[in-house]
Amino acid sequence: MTIAKERMDALQARRDEVKALASEDKIARRRAEGRMTARERIAAFFDADTFQEMGAYAHHHAKEFGMAKKRMPGDGVVTGVGQVAGQPVAMFSQDFMVSGGTLGEVHANKIVEAMSYAGRCGIPVVGINDSGGARIQEGVDALTGYSRVFRQNILLSGVVPQIAIIAGPCAGGAAYSPALMDFIIMTKSHAQMFITGPEVIKAVTRQQCTPEEVGGAVMHASVSGNVHFVAEDDADALRIAKRLLEYLPPNNLCDPPNHPSLTLDLTANADLDEAVPSDPKAPIDMRRVIDGIFDKGSFFEIQALFARNMIVGFARLDGMVVGIVANQPMFKAGTLDIDAADKAARFIQTCDAFNIPLISLVDVPGFLPGVAQERGGIIRHGSKMLFSWTTATVPKITLIVRKAYGGAYMAMNSKEMGADMVFAWPCAEIAVLGEEGAINILYRKELKECADPKARAAELMGEYRKTFLSPWQAAESGQLTDVIEPSRSRAVLSLALRNTINKREARPAKKHGNIAL
Ligand code: HXC
């Protein structure tokens, strides 16, 4: 039996309708801005011809404000699942050309359906945001739709990776869907994300600002910390999302995509012996240490523009995926401040959720002193790092490169905070605090009263350096697995990772801990 021609024609007509593009001038404007349409973004992201669209014919049933007669292809969002390098990934891509990509009840249902499919099937979700927000004509039904999207984001958190791309407007409460996901990629131009934009800010506070100042990609990547990656354009955003997927497992029950080599590379890297300047006050460039230890070209930095005193990112070590948490002494002397603590804590939690072992590289003189830090709650923010390290059950390896002072020593994951193995270079300084601070506290009175305080202080500091500013007290008290030559770091960490990779750590049953947020 063949299907009647009119039925086939009807199918084609429906297909044409959902794929209908906006007017020529709207498309021309978009192209001139170097931006893609919702479907072009999908085509550019997935392996050719692998996208299976879901619910393409869903249509709104709103009636108010002229909606009864309004046909809206796909209700302003394209959803489905496709293959990226042979692996399934779910996607929603908001279509700004259909009523501004606004979210109504059916639009929300489509997004929730794609996400819930991803949760059931254990596959990542990538969501492309390009929308005027809640569809005004649908009133509370639009808000209900957002509630359902947020709830689904939260239910999937820690189950499958969720990546948000902001490639257009993302205003008001709509910004909370990306904020509830694991990573946010934002295009440099034509994208804004804010809760209240310039108009509302001006009306309420009389402050003047541009959309870029309160919602641009560079601001969010460098100041607010909301955005993990700034993309040059749509194509770059899609490329970044695909690169992220190379390091992430499809879900929390799988390992990340490891490609271990058959034989471990145990060769020494002499360059690392030169990485530490002879002047203890000169900063070490931690990027050089990272490049010397991890597989060439594998380091993928996250939040590179935010809290630059802390480096986080994925890399491979002899083919195995790891998360790196490292101090960067080139900025703020590598101290821990509020932003650095938040950045590190979130990354540790992300890695733990997705079974990615953590390697900490330490050169930290302490927490950043200052009124703004104390008033801003550095105690609360710093505690997130401690909490995150100890709750993480993935393999955790620490390498102390130079300074590891006071509370910051623990916040970078000491043995007693839960590190499985801790290594230190011979130039490591593991102590309560540096020599100047220590001597000033211990000998304040004596130094005030003695004839030559400078000479006496130098003498005492020398003694302090000899006693405490080395790895040896920590090694003798059992806090170090080993003290190693810098040149052997790659070999030692590779071995440590292979030896620790099957770690299983049981914890007492509880609903959840109570991290200070
Ligand atoms: C219905 C909307 C809309 C909205 C835009 N449109 N926003 N329709 N509800 N929220 C429609 C326009 O009428 C127009 O329809 C089409 O989308 C394109 O919009 P333009 O204004 O022509 O485009 P542009 O000049 O590029 O400006 C885009 C924009 C602007 C910056 C997004 O439209 C805008 O400011 N919209 C309102 C944004 C907003 O305040 N949203 C509510 C946020 S609060 P036609 O038919 O002419 O193509 C929110 C609450 C969420 O979302 C709560 C969650 C808890």
Side-chain angles (χ1 to χ4, degrees):
M1 193 177 84
T2 55
I3 300 174
K5 184 175 177 306
E6 62 265 29
R7 295 270 177 173
M8 298 300 280
D9 291 346
L11 169 64
Q12 194 53 49
R14 287 278 187 157
R15 276 195 181 146
D16 291 346
E17 186 193 32
V18 296
K19 291 192 178 153
L21 286 172
S23 60
E24 282 302 320
D25 58 324
K26 271 193 181 172
I27 296 173
R29 180 146 57 104
R30 189 155 266 251
R31 296 254 161 78
E33 291 168 352
R35 304 169 73 201
M36 298 177 184
T37 65
R39 287 184 183 278
E40 283 169 351
R41 287 169 178 158
I42 288 173
F45 186 70
F46 288 112
D47 301 348
D49 301 323
T50 61
F51 183 64
Q52 293 191 305
E53 191 165 347
M54 293 174 173
Y57 310 108
H59 200 267
H60 73 83
H61 25 258
K63 296 194 172 50
E64 313 293 344
F65 286 92
M67 287 293 283
K69 287 196 187 131
K70 198 161 181 177
R71 296 292 294 171
M72 291 172 55
D75 209 50
V77 65
V78 186
T79 57
V81 57
Q83 303 261 312
V84 175
Q87 299 297 319
V89 177
M91 173 168 274
F92 64 87
S93 177
Q94 292 184 309
D95 191 346
F96 191 81
M97 298 207 177
V98 178
S99 281
T102 50
L103 182 142
E105 184 191 358
V106 172
H107 181 120
N109 287 350
K110 287 180 69 177
I111 292 178
V112 170
E113 167 66 22
M115 284 202 288
S116 121
Y117 173 87
R120 287 197 305 280
C121 300
I123 60 173
V125 179
V126 175
I128 304 180
N129 296 262
D130 190 355
S131 161
R135 189 175 297 155
I136 295 163
Q137 302 92 319
E138 293 201 31
V140 77
D141 289 346
L143 301 183
T144 303
Y146 268 119
S147 309
R148 298 189 62 225
V149 171
F150 297 166
R151 186 162 178 268
Q152 199 63 40
N153 284 134
I154 296 161
L155 293 175
L156 290 193
S157 183
V159 178
V160 296
Q162 298 182 76
I163 299 171
I165 295 175
I166 316 291
C170 185
Y176 283 114
S177 173
L180 291 166
M181 298 173 97
D182 299 301
F183 301 98
I184 303 183
I185 303 161
M186 189 164 176
T187 53
K188 220 178 208 169
S189 354
H190 312 293
Q192 282 120 33
M193 180 168 60
F194 39 65
I195 299 297
T196 55
E199 302 288 315
V200 179
I201 291 176
K202 191 175 159 202
V204 177
T205 70
R206 292 168 198 268
Q207 287 176 300
Q208 299 264 13
C209 59
T210 64
E212 269 60 44
E213 282 170 333
V214 290
V218 173
M219 187 289 286
H220 278 309
S222 56
V223 183
S224 74
N226 288 328
V227 161
H228 299 83
F229 302 93
V230 176
E232 288 302 319
D233 52 23
D234 289 0
D236 193 35
L238 297 166
R239 184 195 61 75
I240 293 169
K242 285 202 225 189
R243 176 116 201 255
L244 261 176
L245 291 172
E246 288 172 17
Y247 296 91
L248 294 165
N251 61 62
N252 64 328
L253 300 180
C254 295
D255 286 332
N258 293 320
H259 309 302
S261 54
L262 287 178
T263 51
L264 270 176
D265 171 18
L266 299 176
T267 51
N269 177 359
D271 181 57
L272 285 176
D273 286 332
E274 312 294 318
V276 183
S278 47
D279 174 3
K281 290 212 159 76
I284 295 176
D285 183 358
M286 198 59 92
R287 279 304 298 259
R288 182 169 168 189
V289 177
I290 290 171
D291 290 344
I293 293 177
F294 298 92
D295 296 1
K296 290 272 163 283
S298 72
F299 181 53
F300 185 40
E301 190 168 1
I302 293 163
Q303 286 191 299
L305 301 178
F306 181 66
R308 297 172 74 188
N309 40 333
M310 174 66 68
I311 299 177
V312 302
F314 297 126
R316 287 178 185 275
L317 184 55
D318 217 47
M320 312 290 281
V321 175
V322 293
I324 300 172
V325 178
N327 308 115
Q328 174 53 292
M330 306 297 281
F331 295 93
K332 297 184 182 173
T335 50
L336 297 183
D337 60 2
I338 289 170
D339 287 348
D342 279 0
K343 175 175 169 176
R346 179 82 205 278
F347 183 69
I348 295 163
Q349 300 226 358
T350 303
C351 289
D352 187 49
F354 293 114
N355 310 318
I356 297 174
L358 282 155
I359 295 186
S360 150
L361 302 175
V362 187
D363 184 9
V364 63
F367 284 92
L368 180 68
V371 176
Q373 289 293 310
E374 297 300 337
R375 290 172 68 99
I378 183 63
I379 296 174
R380 176 163 52 88
H381 292 278
S383 77
K384 295 178 202 174
M385 285 186 76
L386 298 169
F387 201 102
S388 301
W389 281 121
T390 296
T391 49
T393 55
V394 288
K396 293 174 287 192
I397 299 161
T398 298
L399 173 64
I400 300 172
V401 165
R402 196 161 60 176
K403 294 183 173 73
Y405 292 170
Y409 157 62
M410 291 160 242
M412 289 303 292
N413 205 21
S414 60
K415 187 174 171 200
E416 291 308 319
M417 289 308 299
D420 298 295
M421 287 188 170
V422 180
F423 300 94
W425 285 359
C427 53
E429 302 172 5
I430 307 166
V432 177
L433 71 178
E435 73 246 47
E436 231 173 287
I439 296 313
N440 279 333
I441 291 168
L442 291 177
Y443 297 96
R444 184 177 298 144
K445 217 162 154 216
E446 184 189 327
L447 288 171
K448 237 186 203 171
E449 287 162 5
C450 79
D452 189 348
K454 252 190 175 169
R456 179 65 183 141
E459 188 187 336
L460 288 167
M461 284 195 280
E463 201 180 315
Y464 183 87
R465 281 197 74 80
K466 227 195 274 160
T467 316
F468 288 122
L469 298 191
S470 78
W472 299 113
Q473 196 207 7
E476 285 173 12
S477 64
Q479 294 304 306
L480 298 181
T481 310
D482 201 359
V483 180
I484 61 167
E485 298 84 350
S487 58
R488 288 184 55 235
S489 300
R490 177 177 162 82
V492 169
L493 292 183
S494 299
L495 264 174
L497 181 63
R498 291 287 177 102
N499 290 335
T500 318
I501 201 77
N502 290 326
K503 172 191 176 189
R504 293 288 176 265
E505 196 172 339
R507 295 288 167 81
K510 59 179 164 183
K511 198 166 174 191
H512 57 74
N514 196 9
I515 189 167
L517 294 173

